[in-house]
Amino acid sequence: MNVPNALNTPGSAGSTAPETAPAAASALSFRTAGEGDVPALVALVESAYRGEASRAGWTTEADLLDGQRTDPEGVADVIRAPGSLMLVAERDGEPIACCQLERREGGAGQPVAYFGMFAVRPVLQGGGLGRAVLAEAERVARERWGAGEMHMTVITARADLIAWYERRGYVRTGRTNPFPYGDERFGVPLRDDLEFELLVKPLRLPPS
């Protein structure tokens, strides 16, 4: 299941993203997830976006969506699919953040990368961890696939989230798609005006 990046961290409608320095980033290690990581990653993603526990961080979507954010099948599909991976950030061997990366073909036939399923443990949000994961995802997309752009889709109601990405070089395209109302794999909407907008960032490729 290819989940749109509605929930693309960090932010919820009406919240303000913290801008503290990424002091915790140096303690991180990164790796590619395997199928044995599926239960822990499902729990991490759900904790960042759904239910009352998610309100401990600022990525909660509890005011926009109910129901599930993902499930074991959806995460396993990302891990197994060709040209797709789950990037895991760990501290002391424990997963504390993750994201999906998928290689796609751009309009000119050049590779681009899609970024989604971005989650940071709620109690660790606000310390620069999200920025560190985003930077590592961009590096992996450039170096592994030669991606010239990073693409993501974000719910337009999340103005603070979009602003967070804009400060990191992402540009609004104005290209939107409706939320898949009626498909509870993507959650149960609490509003009737949800839609996704495509955000794009050019990635500087390493010298050949």
Side-chain angles (χ1 to χ4, degrees):
M1 177 174 62
N2 185 11
V3 181
N5 202 18
L7 322 167
N8 212 340
T9 281
S12 61
S15 68
T16 301
E19 290 293 334
T20 52
S26 62
L28 293 178
S29 62
F30 293 94
R31 64 177 176 85
T32 300
E35 292 194 39
D37 295 303
V38 168
L41 294 179
V42 171
L44 175 60
V45 172
E46 292 296 307
S47 74
Y49 296 109
R50 295 292 192 267
E52 288 303 310
S54 69
R55 296 184 188 275
W58 73 287
T59 65
T60 180
E61 294 187 333
D63 295 326
L64 297 177
L65 294 157
D66 203 352
Q68 71 175 34
R69 169 58 179 95
T70 191
D71 54 32
E73 180 183 1
V75 174
D77 285 348
V78 171
I79 291 172
R80 294 172 186 151
S84 173
L85 61 88
M86 286 288 289
L87 185 66
V88 182
E90 292 184 321
R91 184 179 296 144
D92 298 324
E94 185 177 6
I96 57 174
C98 67
C99 69
Q100 167 195 7
L101 285 174
E102 181 182 326
R103 186 187 188 279
R104 297 183 176 180
E105 187 173 297
Q110 299 299 313
V112 302
Y114 176 80
F115 177 85
M117 217 178 289
F118 187 14
V120 175
R121 182 173 296 176
V123 295
L124 298 177
Q125 292 172 18
L129 181 55
R131 275 177 283 176
V133 175
L134 181 60
E136 177 66 7
E138 292 170 355
R139 184 195 67 80
V140 170
R142 286 193 306 265
E143 296 184 6
R144 180 173 297 201
W145 297 325
E149 293 179 340
M150 186 77 89
H151 290 195
M152 64 176 68
T153 53
V154 183
I155 287 181
T156 56
R158 303 182 68 190
D160 58 339
L161 169 57
I162 291 174
W164 190 89
Y165 280 114
E166 287 180 313
R167 290 193 293 274
R168 282 146 192 89
Y170 288 83
V171 177
R172 301 184 71 163
T173 66
R175 293 163 55 186
T176 61
N177 288 300
F179 187 90
Y181 286 91
D183 189 342
E184 294 190 2
R185 295 177 303 164
F186 302 108
V188 179
L190 302 178
R191 293 170 46 164
D192 61 6
D193 62 346
L194 300 181
E195 62 179 1
F196 299 110
E197 181 173 357
L198 175 67
L199 274 60
V200 173
K201 178 180 179 177
L203 301 179
R204 181 176 298 174
L205 298 177
S208 55

